[in-house]
Amino acid sequence: MVTVRGRTELKRFIADVPQLLQEKVLPGAARAAGKVIAEEAKARSQSQVVADAVEVKVRSDDGRVVARIGVAKGGPSKGWALSLGGWLEYGTDPHYITVDDSQRQGMSAARINLLKKRDGVLVINGKPVGKTVLHPGAQAHPFLRPALDTKEAEAVAAAQAYINARVGRRGIISQTEGDGE
């Protein structure tokens, strides 16, 4: 009569595989794919401030692992990179810009520029302008979506390579046991 050992352990391991992949492998694979897209987005950005703020965030929700490539909200620029990134990606429509009344304190924009040299006051080409200016808008210079469009296959290949390096005959290797990614 044949005796089989380890059947219970094997069944338990097979039952645990989806969770092990979800916790140990797929976040790293998503990060590897995201890094490919992020590097391309940085290269395509017309602003170094925005390029420096491009980041990859990975999260797991409801059995899905999601990588988000975007411009960081915080950091040294305190949100400026996020605003600038949106303007670069989508452009802006023509709009009016005015000097805020709290900054004016009853003075004209020209007077504020001459006396106070305050930040946030309307100065164009070194010359103070009136209370209101019509900004012509800015042309879009997309960098995030084209990065995804051009590097999608390479990102998928990076994710697959990450998975292949961690799933094999020896079992599932966690992120920390692998090559340090």
Side-chain angles (χ1 to χ4, degrees):
M1 178 164 201
V2 176
T3 304
V4 177
R5 292 186 224 168
R7 183 181 298 173
T8 306
E9 291 84 7
L10 178 61
K11 285 182 179 181
R12 189 177 315 124
F13 175 77
I14 290 173
D16 290 344
V17 165
Q19 183 177 352
L20 289 171
L21 289 173
Q22 178 82 19
E23 293 173 359
K24 293 185 174 189
V25 178
L26 295 181
R31 188 170 288 104
K35 284 181 181 180
V36 171
I37 305 298
E39 289 304 314
E40 180 68 12
K42 288 176 183 183
R44 288 177 172 272
S45 175
Q46 291 191 339
S47 165
Q48 190 60 46
V49 170
V50 173
D52 291 343
V54 171
E55 66 180 2
V56 178
K57 287 188 176 184
V58 177
R59 71 173 203 278
S60 294
D61 279 341
D62 301 326
R64 293 178 357 149
V65 176
V66 178
R68 178 196 167 275
I69 299 95
V71 180
K73 291 180 183 176
S77 64
K78 302 293 184 204
W80 172 244
L82 180 62
S83 297
L84 188 55
W87 299 332
L88 281 174
E89 185 75 14
Y90 302 108
T92 62
D93 290 334
H95 56 281
Y96 286 98
I97 304 173
T98 63
V99 177
D100 189 287
D101 286 336
S102 68
Q103 295 292 315
R104 286 190 16 203
Q105 298 174 346
M107 295 183 278
S108 69
R111 187 77 176 148
I112 291 169
N113 280 302
L114 290 174
L115 297 178
K116 306 274 183 170
K117 300 290 182 190
R118 289 192 177 179
D119 290 337
V121 176
L122 294 172
V123 177
I124 298 175
N125 293 328
K127 297 178 184 177
V129 296
K131 278 180 20 178
T132 303
V133 171
L134 175 60
H135 188 287
Q139 182 179 353
H141 296 282
F143 61 100
L144 289 170
R145 184 61 199 209
L148 175 61
D149 291 344
T150 59
K151 293 294 185 171
E152 179 182 13
E154 191 177 324
V156 170
Q160 186 64 57
Y162 187 94
I163 292 168
N164 291 346
R166 283 158 182 79
V167 177
R169 290 178 184 242
R170 294 177 294 145
I172 297 174
I173 302 170
S174 71
Q175 295 175 37
T176 56
E177 296 173 44
D179 60 4
E181 285 199 27

